Amino acid sequence: TQSDMRRLLGDGGIIVDDLQLDLFWRFYLRLRARNEEYGLTRISKFEDIVFKHFVDCAVVPKMIEIPSPLLDIGTGPGFPGIPFRIMCPGLRVTLAECRRRRVEFLNEALASLKLSGLRVHGASVRPEYGEPHYHLALALRHLGRDDEAYAAFYKAVWNHAWQPAGYHALAEIDCCRRHWPAALDHLDRA
């Protein structure tokens, strides 16, 4: 029941108002209804969902200020993004998830919760191709902008085909910076 949820949240140090409780409750009901069909979480007991999903997420905004807008990459069924939004009414969150069934669930959950400031990005946030990032990194390196090149080489290695060249280039920059352990790690990956 909702009163059990309020008690369990309180036991975890999370005090919620009636609106927040209602939002957590509706999210729980949606999660429970779709979990088996969509394979959303292995956690299925009521108490465990409240503690391991809701409390674990809801405690974070009590400890640190959550930046807004927030990109929740690989959100799965909405963790931690949806509990963050429930606890922080002004927060804007993009829930990024590439698995189709979880995207379907997120869209259903957001329609049910009717919360502003939440949106679903139903695709991978990784670059699809590594080659443009690799060539950008080479150009930046040539211009002496090694910090920017380093970041672009990392984007290139997200694509398997560009990992050998990208990691080798990262190792070169590491050597120039005398970061020997990082250089060795990147060479091992190349």
Side-chain angles (χ1 to χ4, degrees):
T1 66
Q2 282 190 346
S3 58
D4 291 328
M5 180 176 280
R6 185 186 297 272
R7 179 182 50 77
L8 290 169
L9 289 167
D11 290 348
I14 306 300
I15 306 303
V16 294
D17 60 30
D18 291 341
L19 175 60
Q20 290 169 321
L21 178 63
D22 182 61
L23 291 167
F24 273 120
W25 182 251
R26 286 190 285 143
F27 185 39
Y28 163 74
L29 293 176
R30 177 71 55 183
L31 183 67
R32 189 183 72 188
R34 294 293 195 195
N35 189 36
E36 190 171 323
E37 177 186 358
Y38 285 5
L40 302 169
T41 178
R42 291 182 185 169
I43 298 169
S44 57
K45 288 184 181 176
F46 174 72
E47 294 82 7
D48 291 339
I49 289 174
V50 173
F51 276 116
K52 295 179 181 177
H53 282 316
F54 296 167
V55 171
D56 282 358
C57 294
V59 74
V60 174
K62 292 179 64 168
M63 299 167 60
I64 62 169
E65 185 177 338
I66 304 297
S68 185
L70 177 71
L71 176 60
D72 181 2
I73 299 173
T75 189
F79 300 113
I82 293 175
F84 280 6
R85 173 57 189 83
I86 291 171
M87 296 305 295
C88 305
L91 188 65
R92 291 179 300 137
V93 181
T94 298
L95 305 168
E97 178 58 54
C98 62
R99 290 169 283 187
R100 182 185 55 81
R101 305 229 327 116
R102 291 186 179 188
V103 170
E104 289 174 17
F105 170 77
L106 290 168
N107 285 320
E108 289 176 14
L110 268 53
S112 169
L113 295 174
K114 297 180 175 72
L115 273 174
S116 64
L118 279 172
R119 72 180 194 91
V120 176
H121 176 76
S124 176
V125 294
R126 293 181 175 186
E128 188 172 345
Y129 303 105
E131 186 174 11
H133 295 284
Y134 180 79
H135 290 293
L136 171 63
L138 286 177
L140 291 167
R141 185 90 201 276
H142 182 70
L143 294 171
R145 295 164 52 185
D146 283 357
D147 290 342
E148 294 169 83
Y150 204 81
F153 280 130
Y154 257 116
K155 288 182 181 178
V157 301
W158 286 348
N159 181 278
H160 183 74
W162 289 92
Q163 287 179 353
Y167 280 123
H168 189 273
L170 287 165
E172 288 177 1
I173 295 173
D174 291 329
C175 286
C176 290
R177 295 174 174 172
R178 299 186 179 275
H179 295 162
W180 310 120
L184 287 172
D185 179 58
H186 287 136
L187 284 175
D188 285 342
R189 295 172 187 234

